[in-house]
């Protein structure tokens, strides 16, 4: 994967994705190593983030790399009208990898085409979030012992949830049965459903969360993506859909794990947090090891 940008999850083959997961397991055992000394990682966040930016920065710092960048485009020369092309070309001169989050779909692909260093997509609009996908796969494999033959429920905003789009695509490389739970207005886009069908997997659609809890190995909860709605009234209509409460988990399978890319708003009641099935905070921690694996691979150190 040396020098290979990661824009879509499909940029990396199944074998390359598995190699990242295996490397991440090594970093989980030994997260502090000086293997990236002398490298500079740029984190350019044109949209808010807590986990993705800070786990990339933590990953880089624990491996000895220096981090530059911004967490708010209003503190950059974008505020003066600078184009994305010029920003990326300039930051390419200052860094060895660019990690970028941007509200526009396709912006990460564009950045990878104009950059002279590899670009990692940290989320482009409602499109994809491939590094989240790799930490999600790592978390699924770690908790279930396999990525194959699993029943996985995706719950909430399947229309705008970029983490859902890229994880569904990645899981099409495995024998997955998909259970898709959302309000009618927030169903999984047809383009992603076609990908499931083309890969000869089954999917089932529901509007009620209670219908799937007892059937699945992973419950992948998501936030309704308020920032992607053009009409605030449309958000108001769906904002309380699909809320998970602890009492709903009584008939769940013993191996069930509840995942969520976070941040959460109200879709997982806090009374679930102490249930041993809740895995979302460990999932966020796994992001450090997976991002260490990605940085080390792309920089050619592992
Ligand atoms: N999961 C995720 O992308 O979280 P942040 O928006 O906090 O980075």
């Amino acid at each position: 994967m040396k020098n290979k940008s990661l824009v879509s999850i499909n940029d990396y083959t199944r074998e390359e994705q598995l190699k990242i997961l295996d490397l991440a397991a090594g970093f989980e055992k030994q997260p502090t190593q000086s293997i990236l000394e002398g490298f500079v990682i740029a984190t350019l966040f044109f949209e808010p983030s807590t986990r993705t930016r800070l786990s990339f920065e933590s990953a880089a710092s624990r491996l000895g790399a220096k981090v530059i960048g911004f967490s708010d485009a209003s503190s950059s020369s974008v505020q003066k009208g600078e184009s994305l092309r010029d920003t990326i070309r300039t930051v390419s001169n200052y860094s060895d990898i660019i990690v970028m989050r941007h509200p526009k779909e396709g912006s990460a692909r564009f950045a990878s085409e104009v950059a002279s260093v590899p670009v990692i997509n940290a989320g482009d609009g409602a499109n994809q979030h491939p590094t989240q996908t790799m930490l999600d796969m790592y978390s699924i494999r770690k908790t279930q012992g396999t990525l194959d033959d699993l029943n996985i429920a995706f719950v909430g905003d399947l229309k705008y949830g970029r983490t859902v789009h890229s994880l569904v695509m990645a899981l099409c490389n495995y024998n997955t049965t998909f259970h898709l739970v959302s309000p009618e207005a927030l169903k999984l886009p047809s383009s992603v459903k076609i990908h499931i069908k083309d890969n000869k997997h089954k999917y089932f659609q529901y509007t009620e969360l209670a219908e799937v809890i007892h059937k699945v190995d992973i419950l992948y909860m998501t936030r309704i993506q308020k920032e992607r709605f053009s009409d605030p009234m449309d958000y108001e209509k769906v904002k309380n859909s699909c809320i998970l409460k602890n009492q709903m988990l009584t008939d769940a399978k013993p191996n069930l794990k509840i995942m969520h890319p976070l941040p959460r708003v109200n879709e997982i009641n806090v009374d679930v947090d102490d249930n041993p099935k809740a895995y979302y905070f460990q999932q966020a921690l796994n992001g450090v090891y997976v991002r260490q694996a990605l940085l080390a691979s792309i920089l050619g150190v592992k």
Side-chain angles (χ1 to χ4, degrees), residues 146-216:
T146 180
L147 285 162
D148 260 315
D149 300 321
L150 295 174
N151 278 274
I152 302 196
F154 289 87
V155 182
D157 188 345
L158 310 190
K159 179 179 180 184
Y160 297 119
R162 58 193 172 198
T163 68
V164 172
H165 304 159
S166 35
L167 181 56
V168 167
M169 288 197 178
L171 290 173
C172 283
N173 287 325
Y174 302 90
N175 188 22
T176 308
T177 303
F178 297 93
H179 301 268
L180 309 173
V181 187
S182 69
E184 281 294 328
L186 298 178
K187 284 167 119 174
L188 192 70
S190 303
S191 58
V192 188
K193 285 194 283 210
I194 287 168
H195 196 80
I196 298 176
K197 273 193 184 160
D198 285 349
N199 283 278
K200 314 259 180 291
H201 300 304
K202 287 190 188 139
Y203 71 82
F204 303 94
Q205 298 187 96
Y206 314 79
T207 52
E208 296 302 321
L209 173 54
E211 288 183 78
V212 300
I213 293 176
H214 62 285
K215 297 182 188 174
V216 298

Side-chain angles (χ1 to χ4, degrees), residues 45 47-55 101 122-123 129 131-132 135-136 162-163 220 223 260-263 283-284 291:
F45 278 67
E47 258 192 352
S49 169
T50 297
R51 278 146 292 274
T52 310
R53 184 173 68 82
L54 294 180
S55 65
R101 172 172 288 184
H129 193 347
T131 70
Q132 177 72 42
L135 80 90
D136 292 340
R162 58 193 172 198
T163 68
Y220 191 94
R223 174 178 68 90
H260 191 311
L262 302 177
Q283 180 187 352
R291 288 172 174 131

